[in-house]
Amino acid sequence: LGNALLELKEAELKRAALDSETLMKTITKRARHLGLAASAGLALSFAAGSAQASDCGEVSITEMDWGSAIIVTQVAKFLLEQGYGCTVQVVPSASTPALASVSETGEPDIITEVWTNSAPAYIPLKEDGKIKELTEVLSDGGVEGLFIPEYLAEAHPELTTIAGVLANPDLVGNRMHNCPVGWTCQVVASQLAVAGGFEAAGVEDFVHGSGETLAASIGSAYSSQEPWFGYYWSPSTVLGKYPMVQVELGAHDPSVHSCNADKECPNPTLQSWPSSVVTTVVTDTFEASHPAETDLMRNLSFSNKMMNSLLGWQDANKATGEEAAVYFLSSQSDVWGTWINESARKNLAALLQ
């Protein structure tokens, strides 16, 4: 029934016991409510059945519990099912357990979004040939850093460097908004503050009590056009909703960065965070048995600007990750149309028109 276009999860559909006619009305109503007119009509065409490839079979694919990963998985699921005729099983997971499962069982077939800097098992599995790195699914990498609002950068361009921030602490509210205790980024940001002499310059290292209050502080600043300076990451829903400019901290030096992540570091250095390579991988057996589907996953990639935009749309419309995937599929066929092969283009001709 074209699950990528459904608002309700499969379990919810079973509980609701909706028949096909009611289901189509549900899809159409929700799609129109979100402004997805094309999707509302396409729901009916895909419900009628799509071309099925006889040689794809069952495919298992991870779905991590953060925004970008959910969108990537749902887009891939839809294209694999409707374009390549696969039966896709979505496996809720996270990077470390997914890689452990591949090591022990050879499954799942596809891990859609691995942040490699936080997955110690990644390199050994790659070197052993058990996983095949296909692409950087977030083409710009995962970005961490200290940011200021775009309106602040436009009014005071000097604040786009850390030297400018420290020379004008009042313009950023005399505060660096930091991560909650327990997050690695809190330790790193606090060490950067020590290395840069933030306190002496008049910038307080303000550690938030939760990720929610950190995010809320950006929203509050934007609503009042007030100063704000602090840590965040991209892609994320927050940076998709609120345009931010990264402050230049200096070149990243991997040889000493690890010390910044240690709260007992004796000599912290003021430097940028490393960019995390974020990849899609498949098992070696999947690559050998599913060359066409492997090529699809090799082509599937989002820039941070594109992903932030999708996450911002999702937040503004109070939509699910599945609905954000539908929005992307129905509005950006010029992007994903280049990812698929000719056979899949024929199966998805209605969306590509």
Side-chain angles (χ1 to χ4, degrees), residues 170-186:
D170 56 315
L171 295 181
V172 295
N174 298 94
R175 172 177 288 184
M176 177 187 72
H177 292 264
N178 203 344
C179 307
V181 172
W183 291 21
T184 302
C185 53
Q186 181 268 314

Side-chain angles (χ1 to χ4, degrees), residues 9 19 25 32 71 94 103 118 156 164 176 191-192 274 277 303 315 350:
K9 296 179 180 178
D19 58 26
K25 288 179 180 178
R32 286 175 177 160
I71 292 174
S103 177
S118 59
H156 303 282
M176 177 187 72
Q191 293 289 36
L192 293 178
V277 177
S303 68
D315 180 75

Side-chain angles (χ1 to χ4, degrees), residues 197-266:
F198 284 21
E199 183 178 2
V203 178
E204 174 193 6
D205 178 8
F206 181 82
V207 178
H208 278 269
S210 69
E212 288 75 16
T213 63
L214 175 62
S217 70
I218 296 177
S220 177
Y222 245 88
S223 65
S224 303
Q225 298 286 284
E226 294 178 345
W228 193 95
F229 166 64
Y231 172 88
Y232 224 78
W233 69 92
S234 177
S236 62
T237 299
V238 171
L239 265 62
K241 186 174 183 179
Y242 304 110
M244 304 289 283
V245 175
Q246 190 169 3
V247 174
E248 176 57 49
L249 299 177
H252 172 68
D253 184 350
S255 66
V256 294
H257 174 74
S258 59
C259 189
N260 282 355
D262 181 355
K263 63 182 179 180
E264 303 299 331
C265 176

Side-chain angles (χ1 to χ4, degrees), residues 146 162 166 191-193 195-198 249-251 260 268-272:
L146 299 180
I162 193 62
L166 297 178
Q191 293 289 36
L192 293 178
F198 284 21
L249 299 177
N260 282 355
T269 55
L270 185 59
Q271 60 169 300
S272 298

